[in-house]
Amino acid sequence: GAGVSQSPSNKVTEKGKDVELRCDPISGHTALYWYRQSLGQGLEFLIYFQGNSAPDKSGLPSDRFSAERTGGSVSTLTIQRTQQEDSAVYLCASSPSSLAGRFFFGPGTRLTVL
Amino acid sequence: AQSVTQLDSHVSVSEGTPVLLRCNYSSSYSPSLFWYVQHPNKGLQLLLKYTSAATLVKGINGFEAEFKKSETSFHLTKPSAHMSDAAEYFCVVSVSETGNQFYFGTGTSLTVIP
């Protein structure tokens, strides 16, 4: 079937605006991760969903960031009052619970905050 | 706390010579360790993983890594570099005690010179 998809592929916004990034994981994958990759930086963990458990939000950099996963499938990452330092590529990955460490990454959303 | 340090942001080798990509980790628990490769415009691919079995782990494409607890290292090696090995490599640590959150290093860019 299809891989992980993300939308939009590119988003340019003005400082102070809110943005929503969407991730459609591979069907049946119970784990879903959000990462971001800034220029010259490694992958930075943001949030992790596993099945029906409470998400691990420990990587969210501020309270402007939030994410939800509806019905154990689609996830939305929301950034409120965007700042220039939020500019990065936001990556979503899903993983079947039985294959720890095997990620299937989406193509990412490139966010530019002007 | 868990963390990963990739000691070299960029490594350049000649085709046919050995590859060494260095990774040190810090973990309060017994970690699982992974190496991923990312080729341009492609998703992350799992090269190999260590999960408390044999300390010398063999992966795909001739790569291997040795877990050395005394040195807190998990360096990636290959006896003979191929042009197709040119890519970005990420070392990753995960601990089940913290909910299988994955911590990525900042990546090492490997260049292979013909």
Side-chain angles (χ1 to χ4, degrees):
Chain A
V4 178
S5 62
Q6 292 185 244
S7 61
S9 56
N10 277 285
K11 177 70 176 179
V12 180
T13 190
E14 294 179 349
K15 178 181 173 181
K17 301 279 189 181
D18 297 351
V19 295
E20 282 190 354
L21 312 180
R22 177 187 168 104
C23 171
D24 284 86
I26 293 174
S27 177
H29 282 192
T30 57
L32 187 148
Y33 302 79
W34 281 98
Y35 291 89
R36 71 177 176 182
Q37 187 165 18
S38 304
L39 189 64
Q41 304 293 319
L43 285 169
E44 177 187 2
F45 167 78
L46 297 177
I47 188 168
Y48 162 51
F49 297 88
Q50 174 61 59
N52 296 320
S53 303
D56 178 351
K57 303 179 181 180
S58 60
L60 295 178
S62 77
D63 58 8
R64 297 186 294 104
F65 287 72
S66 63
E68 61 179 22
R69 188 180 184 191
T70 54
S73 180
V74 172
S75 178
T76 302
L77 177 69
T78 302
I79 309 174
Q80 297 177 309
R81 305 181 302 282
T82 53
Q83 303 294 313
Q84 288 183 329
E85 60 262 28
D86 299 335
S87 297
V89 175
Y90 288 80
L91 292 161
C92 175
S94 69
S95 176
S97 60
S98 61
L99 292 173
R102 189 166 295 280
F103 293 95
F104 296 80
F105 275 81
T109 295
R110 182 174 296 278
L111 175 66
T112 303
V113 182
L114 301 177
Chain B
Q2 280 61 238
S3 68
V4 178
T5 302
Q6 290 185 244
L7 299 162
D8 307 292
S9 59
H10 188 86
V11 170
S12 183
V13 301
S14 297
E15 189 176 17
T17 64
V19 176
L20 170 64
L21 305 183
R22 298 183 293 167
C23 173
N24 285 92
Y25 70 92
S26 173
S27 177
S28 306
Y29 306 97
S30 297
S32 295
L33 295 159
F34 308 79
W35 275 99
Y36 287 86
V37 60
Q38 186 172 27
H39 288 92
N41 301 316
K42 294 192 175 182
L44 286 176
Q45 180 183 19
L46 178 65
L47 277 179
L48 49 81
K49 64 178 179 180
Y50 164 79
T51 53
S52 75
T55 57
L56 181 62
V57 182
K58 295 188 182 298
I60 62 171
N61 301 336
F63 284 94
E64 61 182 40
E66 186 172 6
F67 173 69
K68 291 186 177 180
K69 186 175 181 179
S70 61
E71 298 176 11
T72 60
S73 70
F74 191 58
H75 301 332
L76 182 71
T77 60
K78 183 173 180 177
S80 177
H82 191 273
M83 294 299 295
S84 61
D85 295 329
E88 189 84 13
Y89 291 80
F90 291 93
C91 181
V92 181
V93 64
S94 173
V95 292
S96 58
E97 288 84 351
T98 59
N100 278 324
Q101 184 183 120
F102 287 82
Y103 301 82
F104 282 74
T106 51
T108 299
S109 178
L110 176 65
T111 299
V112 181
I113 303 167

